[in-house]
Amino acid sequence: WEMIFPWALLYSIIYWTFCGLAYIFYSYPHRRDVGWCQLMFLIILLAFEAKCLISVRRMYLQRKSNWSDNIILLLNLIAILMLFSQNSINPYFMNWTKIIALAPLWMRGLTWFRIFTPTRYLVTMIFRVFIDFLPFLFLFTYVVFFFAFSWRLSPSLDEDGINQELMTFYLAFIETT
């Protein structure tokens, strides 16, 4: 471990820098200089993945983490290219593209904190909590949609009543924010 730790640390720093640049560029797409820096780091990460693929092809293709790394990098490449040509793209679609590209990138960046002994078990614990939380989240979403659907079907609300109820909800939400 002592022999590969400096290389793992270097890769982690490159990956975390890429994550930070992605956050900045996706938040401020007019900063083209940040976008070009992010693209440079993306090329470095893709070159490393290509080097690993060439050196140990069979083992590389069998590991799911390599596939997820490449998908994450591909999603971010698509987001970067779309941001460079942002004029002709629907802003809602662009926002979803940025979210879909950035969320797995940050989750993968979190896994690189495993190289440090104090954070290794914390990161593992965080991912175990997320995995255990998924069934609850599924059930909670199901119940919320059921109640929302049953509320919309309520016979006591005519068209004006629904609009008034929705306005009350929106006003309450706006005043609390």
Side-chain angles (χ1 to χ4, degrees):
W1 174 246
E2 289 80 20
M3 291 175 51
I4 65 168
F5 177 75
W7 297 108
L9 182 62
L10 177 65
Y11 186 85
S12 299
I13 290 171
I14 291 171
Y15 204 91
W16 294 327
T17 305
F18 180 67
C19 289
L21 290 171
Y23 177 75
I24 294 169
F25 185 54
Y26 295 169
S27 299
Y28 305 102
H30 62 279
R31 297 286 314 263
R32 300 290 179 159
D33 55 337
V34 176
W36 286 110
C37 289
Q38 184 189 7
L39 192 58
M40 181 187 70
F41 276 95
L42 178 67
I43 290 170
I44 291 170
L45 292 170
L46 285 172
F48 176 77
E49 294 294 330
K51 178 223 162 266
C52 292
L53 174 64
I54 291 169
S55 61
V56 283
R57 177 177 302 243
R58 176 176 230 111
M59 191 170 66
Y60 182 86
L61 293 173
Q62 290 175 345
R63 297 200 52 185
K64 293 177 185 173
S65 63
N66 294 326
W67 287 93
S68 66
D69 285 343
N70 287 318
I71 289 170
I72 290 169
L73 294 176
L74 180 66
L75 288 172
N76 280 277
L77 177 64
I78 291 169
I80 292 168
L81 295 176
M82 287 175 66
L83 280 170
F84 279 140
S85 64
Q86 187 177 9
N87 296 338
S88 62
I89 297 174
N90 183 342
Y92 296 111
F93 181 72
M94 192 65 235
N95 287 339
W96 277 105
T97 303
K98 291 188 286 189
I99 290 169
I100 290 170
L102 195 61
L105 177 70
W106 279 89
M107 292 199 50
R108 187 66 177 140
L110 180 65
T111 63
W112 280 102
F113 280 103
R114 290 181 179 171
I115 66 167
F116 304 115
T117 304
T119 58
R120 184 173 300 138
Y121 300 107
L122 292 173
V123 171
T124 304
M125 182 180 61
I126 288 170
F127 280 108
R128 283 301 314 160
V129 166
F130 280 132
I131 289 170
D132 292 342
F133 187 67
L134 286 176
F136 169 76
L137 189 62
F138 174 75
L139 291 173
F140 180 73
T141 305
Y142 179 80
V143 169
V144 166
F145 277 117
F146 169 75
F147 279 112
F149 184 69
S150 62
W151 178 78
R152 294 288 291 174
L153 294 177
S154 174
S156 64
L157 294 176
D158 56 356
E159 192 64 35
D160 293 332
I162 289 177
N163 291 336
Q164 185 179 4
E165 291 289 329
L166 289 175
M167 284 305 297
T168 304
F169 171 75
Y170 292 134
L171 288 175
F173 181 73
I174 290 171
E175 291 178 8
T176 58
T177 57

